[in-house]
Amino acid sequence: MASSTSLVAGVPQVRPCLPPRDAAHPRAPLNTSLLRLPRFGSRCQSISSSKRWSSDTVRGRSRFLSKKSDFRRRNTFLIGGQGSRSHVPELHNCISCSILRQRGHLSIGRSSPRAFDDKSRFHLSTLDKALGKYASPPRATVGPEEPHAASIAWPDGAVEKQDLGLENFEFDRAELEGFLNSKLPSHPKVYRGQLKNGLRYLILPNKVPPSRFEAHMEVHVGSIDEEDDEQGIAHMIEHVAFLGSKKREKLLGTGARSNAYTDFHHTVFHIHSPVSAKDSGEDLLPSVLDALNEIAFHPKFLASRVEKERRAILSELQMMNTIEYRVDCQLLQHLHSENKLSRRFPIGLEEQIKKWDADKIRKFHERWYFPANATLYIVGDIDNIPKTVSQIESMLGETGLENESVSPPTPSAFSAMASFLVPKLPVGLSGGSSHDKSKFPDQAKVVRKERHVIRPPVTHNWSIPGNPADLKSPQIFQHELLQNFSINMFCKIPVSKVQTYGDLRNVLMKRIFLSALHFRINTRYKSSNPPFTSVELDHSDSGREGCTVTTLTVTAEPRNWESAIKVAVQEVRRLKEFGVTKGELTRYMDALLKDSEHLAAMIDNVSSVDNLDFIMESDALGHTVMDQMQGHESLVAVAGTVTLEEVNSVGAKVLEYIADFGKPGAPTPAAIVACVPAKVHIDEIGETDFRIFPSGIIDAIKTGLEQPIEAEPELEVPRELISSPELDALKLQQNPSFIPLGPETSIIRVHDIDTGITQLRLSNGILINYRISQSESRGGVMRLIVGGGRAAETSESRGAVVVGVRTLSEGGRVGNFTREQVELFCVNHLINCSLESTEEVIAMEFRFTLRDNGMCAAFQLLHMVLEHSVWLEDAFDRARQLYLSYYRSIPKSLERSTAHKLMLAMLNGDERFVEPTPVSLQNLSLQSVKDAVMNQFVGDNMEVSIVGDFTREEIETCVLDYLGTVSPTRGSWARTQSEPVLFRTSSSDLQSQEVFLKDTDERACAYIAGPAPNRWGFTYEGEDLYESINEISLSKGPQSASGELNAEKDVVTTKPSKLRSHPLFFGITMGLLAEVINSRLFTTVRDSLGLTYDVSFELNLFDRLKLGWYVISVTSTPAKVHKALDACKSVLRGLHSNKIAPRELDRARRTLLMRHEAEIKSNAYWLGLMAHLQASSVPRKDISCIKDLTALYESATIEDVYVAYDQLKIDDDSLYSCAGIAGTQAVEELSASMDQGESDEEFQGVVHTGRGSSTMTRPTT
């Protein structure tokens, strides 16, 4: 999706295709949506990713460890970052206090379109939204008088359209100053108002997704408002109020979903709902507002609910206290050591959470939760603004006014401040909806409570020029569970509001400057063996923290830490001293303008939630909110005034605190924090103590400052990778053409009118699917799928495919072009390219614009990768070292080590589904990994799908020219079956295992897994369930005790449902089954029994491989984890004794259809739908699997779901479980609990050290 509004649209990032992927990062949540190849990894951590808190911690998790909780993603709101969000389940998962989501970024970590980003991953296939930048939660606003508090400066005439009529003309100095000082235009469709009880509201009509809307109630209270004996009480109220609301529960059957989260300064309750009820057509906004009213202002603090949520929060506290989280806490504590932010993490303190009663919680609520201290945001498919305003007044207008006596206001400084903060009422609302003063008595006469202005102070020590003697000593956080070295150098300054053209111009210049630094480091050093793993420079505004933070983050192997610091400091110094080149300025300015134009063209295709997140964030920071078109026009207006000298001057100031470190007058870093392992692995020696001191860090920084530097040379950037004469020669040689789609037909082209999908086949065997779509104006996406993947690895070459894909990504060269040239070619044409290996495919994905020949450029790059990839020895060495480091980090993560052990047990030690071992990695060579990858690139083993805003002539010309000229064969891909995957099914002591990890902080997790069929009904035992589907009986379970259900069974048994005859039967029914089981797990294991904070059921249904599996993941405490395991097994096995009710099926159906309808306009979603459409290894997939999807969901019956359920292997001989326990009382070394084939040297146990901060939370649904 495009960026939401405003300056964002104005100053887009030069979009990368997501940074290079390190296998050592969490995989995204499983989405059981059908037909789709997993989208390529929006959460696989990069070797150069933009992350505010980039600890080197053990980032990897097995795919089935991924949690639903991380669904709110970061939004680079100052640079046109686009927002995307994974689906929020109906069940509550509060998003309290996840540090990593909380900052709007002007970060260089994602600043350039990239080629060959590797996103290989393991275990469970997933489908993520990976459209670029991640959305961050909305923030409370920050007023000038109280940078820590919530306050909104509402502009006059907020609903009046402003048209400055700017032209691109030459300015003299006076005109230029006048122009730069003029105000940016405001979003023309935003409506703001205020009720007589003080509640502020904002309405924005938005058509995407159609017939749905977002309603967010933001209460301006958070953990910063808590007293010393109330730490975590705002988060507790969020849980109790949200989950205790009966009115919210009534919405669950309507297709609405809801959630909540708590932050430093605010608590937000949000509901995503259809505009009207499906059956009755009733308008749902009043019901949604009524539910939000009850949740925020009238919760029932029942003792039973308080106890349930107390248990859930204590479990949450333990669950989220991973080593990554502890590192995040350390960084925040040192960055804000001078104020309360370092001591008020929303999760709270365990000893206090255990003690509060309902009365204590109620009193805090009475103090802060009232309409005048809240803001309501409504964004969605709303046509009638006056009606919406009337509904808001009707449902919320009287709240807070009950039994209040009228009393005149007392003039005071407080009243003056409140007057300043209260928005002026908007004018010009059409249809008689303008706010008439007669409707609103003087607020001071009727409202008892004003919005709180005096809040607990948060005073920042800014990084200002000072004396070198004032430098803070570097802080070192050392822990046994850390694997690599990382260091963060922070600079903290006040937020600069972006409200004028001059402000926007400064943001643009910073973006250009920092993009150059990112590109230089991550291309120059990737051409050799760099001493660092990643170098990132992040420049971020945070309304949440009330400051702008610049962070230099360097991560490296521990043995290279000094060299890594030196190189990073040296490159920062080079850019600061010599600045960007003229070529760099032209290149990045052009890319930014192209991207801005592309975003502006997508103005009508921005999702409501992206718009909403952006508006809330912009309001919090005091930035002017513009729509995409205004942002683009404003950017074009300021771009012509930018000079090279000013770019370098503005950019240099951002880097002064590093480049001039220790010099008189240089800004003083706010903090320097190193996060390091306690022990490191030395080849031929083993584990040894890692020693580092603050003085050594200072010495490394100073050495980098003393290194000789030279100005950056200009690079020659190719305009094309294949010249016209070269293309003509290729066409003459290969004679590309379209041929019949199959041996038994003469049809060359098949076009389906309903879906718009066209299918073709090239003369070299490559299969083509394309769809013309205007939903993303002048933009397109393309995906190459190559059958095989890791399953094709032989017993002698385990790891060859995944390491080979990483090698190709690390090298980045094609033909005679260097990595730098290829990267800049992508920048110039706004191409994002990623590369991934999964269990059953290798895939490349491209995102491109059709402006300036961008689609042809993307096809040229794909052609060059297929025909002229360059395999480099040093790239292979780096790739192998990354996977070696990743493997050695497994025993330092409770979740990963537990998952690793379970997968090896269930899959009989098959290494293709876990991380390659050091022995396997050592056996690989450059030639073996090259052969493993390129031998799969055979003509008819490749399928290319394209979706975009192109014409038939444009797309078919590109396909013929650049794919039709690919050689018919690329290797010796054998049409034989891969080595079979064998589940260990005989009863053994491996079916129930444990992992122990020594750590001072107690935590526990557990996993349950077992076999399932694949999406098309094939099992690992060789059965074809689809062929015998109508013969499958339900005799495996007890008979129904429900007359209603028996009646349904009788009907369906006599007359099988329409779904039974469709090849997607198991894909549909398994998806519905997963929703039902997830709902029951939450209700039973979390809500009723209080054994967990987070539990989920996930399915991995392969397409090409004839198998699948299910996984239940649950977090708990060491004392309760085995009870939680048993409870999960009971739910999983209890669907026959506790029959699925019609309302459960209906809710599951609505949830899946809602997701489908919400994404149907996304080009990337269509890529997933078209995956394997012509693949010979997926013969049952045809166009009906796409066009009939909605009808198939609607026709599914309860008996159909039971047919699917009975194919899950849940008996004692097939079900595997593993519990992981961390704490000081762990009695077994981890190495002793790993697979028998792994030596003690490979997996050594971890001894405890240090105390982690257990004071922050994660989501609650």
Coordinates of all heavy atoms in Angstrom, one line a residue, residues 465-530:
P465 N 26.4 21.2 22.1 CA 27.8 21.4 22.2 C 28.3 21.6 23.6 O 27.7 22.3 24.4 CB 28.1 22.7 21.4 CG 26.9 22.7 20.4 CD 25.7 22.1 21.2
G466 N 29.3 20.9 24.0 CA 29.8 20.9 25.4 C 31.2 20.7 25.5 O 32.0 20.6 24.5
N467 N 31.7 20.5 26.7 CA 33.0 20.2 27.0 C 33.3 18.7 26.9 O 32.5 17.9 27.4 CB 33.3 20.6 28.4 CG 34.8 20.6 28.7 OD1 35.5 19.7 28.4 ND2 35.3 21.7 29.4
P468 N 34.4 18.3 26.2 CA 34.7 16.8 26.1 C 34.7 16.2 27.5 O 34.5 15.0 27.6 CB 36.1 16.8 25.4 CG 36.1 18.1 24.7 CD 35.4 19.1 25.5
A469 N 35.0 16.9 28.5 CA 35.1 16.3 29.8 C 33.7 15.9 30.3 O 33.6 15.1 31.3 CB 35.7 17.3 30.8
D470 N 32.6 16.4 29.7 CA 31.3 16.0 30.0 C 30.8 14.7 29.4 O 29.7 14.3 29.6 CB 30.3 17.1 29.7 CG 30.6 18.4 30.4 OD1 31.2 18.3 31.5 OD2 30.3 19.5 29.9
L471 N 31.6 14.1 28.6 CA 31.2 12.9 27.9 C 30.9 11.8 28.9 O 31.6 11.6 29.8 CB 32.4 12.4 27.0 CG 32.6 13.1 25.6 CD1 33.8 12.5 24.9 CD2 31.3 12.9 24.7
K472 N 29.8 11.1 28.6 CA 29.4 10.0 29.5 C 30.3 8.8 29.1 O 30.5 8.6 27.9 CB 27.9 9.6 29.3 CG 27.0 10.7 29.8 CD 25.5 10.2 29.6 CE 24.5 11.2 30.0 NZ 23.1 10.7 29.8
S473 N 30.7 8.0 30.1 CA 31.4 6.8 29.8 C 30.5 5.8 29.1 O 29.3 5.7 29.4 CB 31.9 6.2 31.1 OG 32.6 5.0 30.8
P474 N 31.0 5.1 28.1 CA 30.2 4.0 27.4 C 29.7 3.0 28.5 O 30.4 2.6 29.4 CB 31.1 3.4 26.4 CG 32.1 4.4 26.1 CD 32.3 5.2 27.4
Q475 N 28.4 2.6 28.3 CA 27.8 1.6 29.2 C 27.9 0.2 28.5 O 27.7 0.1 27.2 CB 26.3 1.9 29.5 CG 26.1 3.3 30.1 CD 26.8 3.3 31.5 OE1 26.6 2.4 32.3 NE2 27.5 4.4 31.8
I476 N 28.1 -0.8 29.2 CA 28.3 -2.1 28.6 C 27.3 -3.1 29.3 O 27.3 -3.2 30.5 CB 29.7 -2.7 28.8 CG1 30.7 -1.8 28.1 CG2 29.8 -4.1 28.3 CD1 32.2 -2.2 28.3
F477 N 26.4 -3.7 28.5 CA 25.5 -4.7 28.9 C 26.0 -6.0 28.4 O 26.0 -6.3 27.2 CB 24.1 -4.4 28.4 CG 23.1 -5.5 28.7 CD1 22.8 -5.8 30.1 CD2 22.4 -6.2 27.7 CE1 21.9 -6.8 30.4 CE2 21.5 -7.2 28.0 CZ 21.2 -7.5 29.3
Q478 N 26.4 -6.9 29.3 CA 27.0 -8.1 28.9 C 26.2 -9.3 29.4 O 25.7 -9.3 30.6 CB 28.5 -8.3 29.5 CG 29.3 -9.4 28.9 CD 30.8 -9.2 29.2 OE1 31.2 -8.5 30.1 NE2 31.6 -9.9 28.4
H479 N 25.9 -10.2 28.6 CA 25.0 -11.3 29.0 C 25.3 -12.6 28.2 O 25.7 -12.6 27.0 CB 23.5 -10.9 28.7 CG 22.5 -11.7 29.5 ND1 22.2 -13.0 29.2 CD2 21.8 -11.3 30.5 CE1 21.3 -13.4 30.0 NE2 21.0 -12.4 30.9
E480 N 25.2 -13.7 28.9 CA 25.5 -15.0 28.3 C 24.6 -15.3 27.1 O 25.0 -16.1 26.2 CB 25.3 -16.1 29.3 CG 26.4 -16.2 30.4 CD 27.6 -16.9 29.8 OE1 27.6 -17.3 28.7 OE2 28.6 -17.0 30.6
L481 N 23.4 -14.8 27.1 CA 22.4 -15.1 26.0 C 22.6 -14.3 24.7 O 21.9 -14.5 23.7 CB 21.0 -15.0 26.5 CG 20.6 -15.9 27.6 CD1 19.1 -15.8 27.9 CD2 21.0 -17.4 27.3
L482 N 23.5 -13.3 24.8 CA 23.9 -12.5 23.6 C 24.9 -13.3 22.7 O 25.7 -14.0 23.3 CB 24.4 -11.2 23.9 CG 23.4 -10.2 24.5 CD1 24.1 -8.9 25.0 CD2 22.4 -9.8 23.5
Q483 N 24.7 -13.2 21.4 CA 25.6 -13.9 20.5 C 26.6 -13.0 19.8 O 27.8 -13.4 19.7 CB 24.7 -14.5 19.4 CG 25.5 -15.2 18.3 CD 26.1 -16.5 18.7 OE1 25.9 -17.0 19.9 NE2 26.9 -17.2 17.9
N484 N 26.2 -11.8 19.4 CA 27.1 -10.9 18.7 C 27.3 -9.6 19.5 O 26.7 -9.3 20.5 CB 26.6 -10.6 17.3 CG 26.7 -11.9 16.4 OD1 27.6 -12.7 16.6 ND2 25.7 -12.0 15.5
F485 N 28.2 -8.8 18.9 CA 28.5 -7.5 19.5 C 27.6 -6.4 18.8 O 27.4 -6.5 17.6 CB 30.0 -7.2 19.2 CG 30.3 -5.7 19.5 CD1 30.7 -5.3 20.8 CD2 30.3 -4.8 18.5 CE1 31.1 -4.0 21.0 CE2 30.6 -3.4 18.7 CZ 31.0 -3.1 20.0
S486 N 27.1 -5.5 19.6 CA 26.4 -4.3 19.0 C 26.7 -3.1 19.8 O 26.9 -3.2 21.1 CB 24.9 -4.5 18.9 OG 24.3 -4.5 20.1
I487 N 26.8 -2.0 19.2 CA 27.0 -0.7 19.9 C 26.1 0.3 19.4 O 25.8 0.4 18.1 CB 28.5 -0.2 19.9 CG1 28.7 1.0 20.8 CG2 28.9 0.0 18.5 CD1 30.1 1.4 21.0
N488 N 25.5 1.2 20.2 CA 24.6 2.2 19.8 C 25.1 3.6 20.4 O 25.4 3.7 21.6 CB 23.2 2.0 20.4 CG 22.5 0.8 19.8 OD1 21.8 0.9 18.8 ND2 22.7 -0.4 20.4
M489 N 25.3 4.5 19.5 CA 25.7 5.9 19.9 C 24.5 6.8 19.6 O 24.0 6.9 18.5 CB 26.9 6.4 19.1 CG 28.2 5.6 19.3 SD 29.6 6.3 18.4 CE 29.8 7.9 19.1
F490 N 24.0 7.4 20.7 CA 22.7 8.2 20.6 C 23.0 9.7 20.7 O 23.8 10.1 21.5 CB 21.8 7.8 21.8 CG 21.3 6.4 21.8 CD1 21.8 5.5 22.8 CD2 20.4 5.9 20.9 CE1 21.3 4.2 22.8 CE2 20.0 4.6 20.9 CZ 20.4 3.8 21.9
C491 N 22.2 10.4 19.9 CA 22.2 11.9 20.0 C 20.7 12.2 20.2 O 19.8 11.8 19.5 CB 22.7 12.5 18.8 SG 22.6 14.3 18.7
K492 N 20.4 13.1 21.1 CA 19.0 13.5 21.5 C 18.8 15.0 21.4 O 19.5 15.7 22.0 CB 18.7 12.9 22.9 CG 17.2 13.1 23.3 CD 16.8 12.1 24.4 CE 17.7 12.3 25.7 NZ 17.1 11.6 26.8
I493 N 17.8 15.4 20.6 CA 17.5 16.8 20.4 C 16.0 17.0 20.4 O 15.2 16.0 20.2 CB 18.1 17.3 19.0 CG1 17.5 16.5 17.8 CG2 19.6 17.2 19.0 CD1 17.9 17.1 16.5
P494 N 15.5 18.2 20.5 CA 14.0 18.4 20.5 C 13.5 18.1 19.1 O 14.2 18.2 18.1 CB 13.9 19.9 20.8 CG 15.2 20.3 21.5 CD 16.2 19.4 20.8
V495 N 12.2 17.8 19.1 CA 11.5 17.5 17.8 C 11.3 18.8 17.0 O 10.9 19.8 17.6 CB 10.1 16.8 18.1 CG1 9.4 16.7 16.8 CG2 10.3 15.5 18.7
S496 N 11.6 18.8 15.8 CA 11.4 19.9 14.9 C 10.1 19.6 14.1 O 10.0 18.7 13.3 CB 12.5 20.1 13.9 OG 13.7 20.4 14.6
K497 N 9.1 20.4 14.4 CA 7.8 20.2 13.7 C 7.9 20.6 12.2 O 8.6 21.5 11.9 CB 6.7 21.1 14.4 CG 6.5 20.8 15.8 CD 5.4 21.7 16.4 CE 5.2 21.4 17.9 NZ 4.2 22.3 18.5
V498 N 7.3 19.8 11.4 CA 7.3 20.0 10.0 C 5.9 20.6 9.6 O 4.9 20.0 9.4 CB 7.5 18.7 9.2 CG1 7.5 19.0 7.7 CG2 8.8 18.0 9.7
Q499 N 6.0 22.0 9.5 CA 4.7 22.7 9.2 C 4.9 23.7 8.1 O 3.9 24.2 7.5 CB 4.3 23.5 10.5 CG 4.0 22.6 11.7 CD 3.7 23.4 12.9 OE1 4.0 24.6 13.1 NE2 3.0 22.7 13.9
T500 N 6.1 24.0 7.7 CA 6.3 24.9 6.6 C 7.1 24.2 5.4 O 7.6 23.1 5.6 CB 7.1 26.1 7.0 OG1 8.5 25.7 7.4 CG2 6.5 26.8 8.3
Y501 N 7.1 24.9 4.3 CA 7.9 24.4 3.2 C 9.4 24.3 3.5 O 10.1 23.4 3.1 CB 7.7 25.2 1.9 CG 6.3 25.0 1.3 CD1 5.2 25.8 1.6 CD2 6.1 24.0 0.4 CE1 4.0 25.6 1.1 CE2 4.9 23.8 -0.2 CZ 3.8 24.6 0.1 OH 2.6 24.4 -0.4
G502 N 9.9 25.2 4.3 CA 11.2 25.1 4.8 C 11.5 23.9 5.6 O 12.6 23.2 5.5
D503 N 10.6 23.6 6.5 CA 10.7 22.4 7.3 C 10.8 21.1 6.5 O 11.6 20.2 6.7 CB 9.5 22.2 8.3 CG 9.4 23.4 9.3 OD1 10.5 24.0 9.6 OD2 8.3 23.7 9.7
L504 N 9.9 21.1 5.5 CA 9.8 19.9 4.6 C 11.1 19.8 3.8 O 11.7 18.7 3.6 CB 8.6 20.0 3.6 CG 8.4 18.9 2.6 CD1 8.2 17.6 3.3 CD2 7.3 19.2 1.7
R505 N 11.6 20.9 3.4 CA 12.9 21.0 2.7 C 14.0 20.4 3.5 O 14.9 19.7 3.0 CB 13.2 22.4 2.3 CG 14.4 22.7 1.4 CD 14.3 24.1 1.0 NE 15.5 24.6 0.2 CZ 16.5 25.2 0.7 NH1 16.6 25.5 2.0 NH2 17.5 25.6 -0.1
N506 N 14.1 20.7 4.8 CA 15.1 20.2 5.6 C 15.0 18.7 5.7 O 16.0 18.0 5.8 CB 15.0 20.8 7.0 CG 15.6 22.2 7.1 OD1 16.4 22.6 6.3 ND2 15.1 23.0 8.0
V507 N 13.8 18.1 5.8 CA 13.6 16.7 5.9 C 14.1 16.1 4.6 O 14.8 15.0 4.6 CB 12.1 16.4 6.1 CG1 11.9 14.9 6.0 CG2 11.7 16.8 7.5
L508 N 13.8 16.7 3.5 CA 14.2 16.1 2.2 C 15.8 16.1 2.1 O 16.4 15.1 1.7 CB 13.7 17.0 1.1 CG 14.2 16.7 -0.4 CD1 13.8 15.3 -0.8 CD2 13.6 17.7 -1.3
M509 N 16.4 17.2 2.6 CA 17.9 17.2 2.5 C 18.5 16.2 3.4 O 19.5 15.5 3.0 CB 18.3 18.6 2.8 CG 18.0 19.6 1.7 SD 18.7 21.3 1.9 CE 17.9 21.9 3.4
K510 N 17.9 16.0 4.6 CA 18.5 14.9 5.5 C 18.3 13.5 4.8 O 19.2 12.7 4.9 CB 17.7 15.0 6.8 CG 18.1 16.1 7.7 CD 17.3 16.1 9.0 CE 17.6 17.3 9.9 NZ 16.8 17.3 11.1
R511 N 17.2 13.3 4.2 CA 16.9 12.0 3.6 C 18.0 11.8 2.5 O 18.5 10.7 2.4 CB 15.5 12.0 3.0 CG 15.2 10.9 2.0 CD 15.5 9.5 2.5 NE 14.8 9.2 3.7 CZ 15.1 8.2 4.5 NH1 16.1 7.4 4.2 NH2 14.4 8.0 5.6
I512 N 18.2 12.7 1.7 CA 19.2 12.6 0.6 C 20.6 12.2 1.2 O 21.3 11.3 0.8 CB 19.3 13.8 -0.3 CG1 18.0 14.0 -1.1 CG2 20.5 13.8 -1.2 CD1 17.9 15.3 -1.8
F513 N 21.0 13.0 2.2 CA 22.3 12.9 2.8 C 22.4 11.5 3.5 O 23.5 10.8 3.3 CB 22.4 14.0 3.9 CG 23.8 14.2 4.4 CD1 24.7 14.9 3.7 CD2 24.2 13.6 5.6 CE1 26.0 15.1 4.2 CE2 25.5 13.8 6.1 CZ 26.4 14.5 5.4
L514 N 21.5 11.1 4.2 CA 21.6 9.8 4.9 C 21.4 8.6 4.0 O 22.0 7.6 4.3 CB 20.6 9.7 6.1 CG 20.7 10.8 7.1 CD1 19.6 10.7 8.2 CD2 22.1 10.8 7.8
S515 N 20.7 8.8 2.9 CA 20.6 7.7 2.0 C 22.0 7.4 1.3 O 22.3 6.3 1.1 CB 19.6 8.1 0.9 OG 18.3 8.2 1.4
A516 N 22.7 8.5 1.1 CA 24.0 8.3 0.5 C 24.9 7.5 1.5 O 25.7 6.6 1.0 CB 24.7 9.7 0.2
L517 N 24.9 7.8 2.8 CA 25.7 7.1 3.7 C 25.3 5.6 3.8 O 26.2 4.7 3.7 CB 25.5 7.7 5.1 CG 26.3 6.9 6.2 CD1 27.8 7.0 6.0 CD2 26.0 7.5 7.6
H518 N 24.0 5.3 3.8 CA 23.6 3.9 3.8 C 24.1 3.2 2.6 O 24.6 2.1 2.7 CB 22.1 3.9 3.9 CG 21.5 2.5 3.8 ND1 20.9 2.1 2.6 CD2 21.5 1.5 4.6 CE1 20.5 0.8 2.8 NE2 20.9 0.4 4.0
F519 N 23.9 3.8 1.4 CA 24.3 3.1 0.2 C 25.8 2.9 0.2 O 26.3 1.8 -0.2 CB 23.9 4.0 -1.0 CG 24.4 3.4 -2.3 CD1 23.7 2.3 -2.9 CD2 25.6 3.8 -2.9 CE1 24.1 1.7 -4.1 CE2 26.0 3.2 -4.0 CZ 25.3 2.2 -4.6
R520 N 26.6 3.8 0.6 CA 28.0 3.7 0.5 C 28.5 2.5 1.4 O 29.3 1.7 1.0 CB 28.7 5.0 1.0 CG 28.6 6.1 0.1 CD 29.3 7.4 0.7 NE 29.1 8.6 -0.1 CZ 29.7 9.7 0.2 NH1 30.5 9.8 1.3 NH2 29.5 10.8 -0.6
I521 N 28.0 2.5 2.6 CA 28.5 1.4 3.5 C 28.0 0.0 3.1 O 28.8 -0.9 3.0 CB 28.0 1.7 5.0 CG1 28.7 2.9 5.5 CG2 28.2 0.5 5.9 CD1 28.2 3.4 6.9
N522 N 26.7 -0.1 2.7 CA 26.2 -1.4 2.4 C 26.4 -1.8 1.0 O 25.9 -2.9 0.6 CB 24.7 -1.4 2.7 CG 24.5 -1.3 4.2 OD1 24.7 -2.3 4.9 ND2 24.1 -0.2 4.8
T523 N 27.1 -1.1 0.2 CA 27.5 -1.6 -1.1 C 29.0 -1.7 -1.2 O 29.6 -2.8 -1.6 CB 27.0 -0.7 -2.3 OG1 27.5 0.6 -2.0 CG2 25.5 -0.8 -2.4
R524 N 29.8 -0.7 -0.8 CA 31.2 -0.8 -0.9 C 31.7 -2.0 -0.1 O 32.5 -2.8 -0.5 CB 31.8 0.5 -0.4 CG 33.4 0.4 -0.3 CD 34.0 1.6 0.4 NE 33.8 2.8 -0.4 CZ 33.2 3.9 0.1 NH1 32.7 3.8 1.3 NH2 33.1 4.9 -0.6
Y525 N 31.3 -2.1 1.1 CA 31.8 -3.1 2.0 C 31.2 -4.5 1.7 O 31.8 -5.5 2.1 CB 31.6 -2.7 3.5 CG 32.5 -1.6 3.9 CD1 32.0 -0.3 3.8 CD2 33.8 -1.8 4.2 CE1 32.9 0.8 4.2 CE2 34.7 -0.8 4.5 CZ 34.2 0.5 4.5 OH 35.0 1.6 4.8
K526 N 30.1 -4.6 1.1 CA 29.6 -5.9 0.7 C 30.4 -6.5 -0.5 O 30.3 -7.7 -0.8 CB 28.1 -5.8 0.2 CG 27.2 -5.6 1.4 CD 27.1 -6.8 2.3 CE 26.1 -6.6 3.4 NZ 26.1 -7.8 4.3
S527 N 31.2 -5.7 -1.1 CA 32.0 -6.2 -2.2 C 33.3 -6.8 -1.7 O 34.1 -7.4 -2.4 CB 32.4 -5.0 -3.2 OG 31.2 -4.4 -3.7
S528 N 33.5 -6.7 -0.4 CA 34.7 -7.4 0.2 C 34.2 -8.1 1.5 O 33.0 -8.4 1.6 CB 35.7 -6.3 0.6 OG 35.1 -5.4 1.5
N529 N 35.0 -8.4 2.4 CA 34.6 -9.0 3.6 C 34.6 -8.0 4.7 O 35.6 -7.7 5.3 CB 35.5 -10.2 4.0 CG 35.2 -11.5 3.2 OD1 34.0 -11.8 3.1 ND2 36.2 -12.1 2.7
P530 N 33.5 -7.4 5.0 CA 33.4 -6.3 5.9 C 33.6 -6.7 7.4 O 33.3 -7.9 7.7 CB 32.1 -5.7 5.7 CG 31.2 -6.8 5.3 CD 32.1 -7.7 4.4

